[in-house]
Amino acid sequence: MRAALAHPNTRQFLKFALVGFASLAVEYLFLGYFLQALSMDYLLATTIAFIISIVVNYILSMKYVFSHKEDMSRKREFTIFAVLSAIGLGLNDLYMFIGVSLLNVGTMAMKLISTFFVTWYNYFSRRKFLDAGRG
C-alpha cells in the first residue's frame, strides 16, 4: 500500500481528486446562491456555476496537478481543458439519463456512479492532452 501511495501517478491522482472536490464545492455554492438568492432559472444557474467551476478547476489543476506544456499557449491550454470538461459534462448527463430514466436507478446513487466514471475520463484525458511529458 505504501508503495502505491508513493507512486507519482497515485499522488497526482490524489491531488486531482482534491482539486475536483474543491471545484465541486465552488460549483454547488454558486449554484445554491444563484437559485436561492437570485431566483435564477435552474438551467442558467447550472450553466454559469459549471463555467465558474471549470475556471477554478483549471487554475488549481494547472497549479497543483499537471505541468504546463511549454509549447502550448495558456489560451490553447484552457480551450482544451474546457472542451474536455464539456465532454465530461456530456458523459455525466448521458450516464444520468440512462441510469435514472431508463434503468430506474435513484438520482443520488446514479450521480455517485456517474461521478466515478467521469472522474476517470477527466483525469486521463487531461493527463494525456495537458500534462507536460505525458502522451
Side-chain angles (χ1 to χ4, degrees), residues 1-124:
M1 180 70 163
R2 185 177 293 213
L5 290 175
H7 194 276
N9 289 344
T10 303
R11 287 197 316 270
Q12 184 182 42
F13 183 79
L14 291 174
K15 288 190 268 186
F16 175 81
L18 288 172
V19 164
F21 284 126
S23 300
L24 179 63
V26 167
E27 183 175 1
Y28 270 67
L29 287 171
F30 273 99
L31 180 60
Y33 174 75
F34 294 150
L35 293 173
Q36 300 300 318
L38 301 180
S39 299
M40 195 179 282
D41 173 76
Y42 79 96
L43 289 177
L44 180 60
T46 300
T47 301
I48 295 171
F50 177 75
I51 291 168
I52 292 169
S53 76
I54 287 175
V55 172
V56 170
N57 194 286
Y58 168 75
I59 292 167
L60 295 175
S61 289
M62 298 314 293
K63 182 172 175 103
Y64 297 111
V65 181
F66 302 114
S67 300
H68 173 68
K69 288 183 176 182
E70 293 301 322
D71 62 342
M72 185 182 297
S73 72
R74 293 289 182 176
K75 182 178 177 181
R76 179 180 166 104
E77 182 181 74
F78 181 77
T79 300
I80 291 170
F81 191 92
V83 168
L84 294 175
S85 295
I87 293 169
L89 177 62
L91 288 171
N92 177 70
D93 290 350
L94 177 65
Y95 296 151
M96 291 298 290
F97 174 77
I98 291 170
V100 175
S101 297
L102 302 180
L103 301 176
N104 294 319
V105 177
T107 302
M108 297 311 287
M110 193 60 217
K111 180 60 183 164
L112 291 175
I113 294 166
S114 176
T115 298
F116 175 80
F117 287 113
V118 173
T119 296
W120 288 105
Y121 157 77
N122 281 335
Y123 175 69
F124 286 112

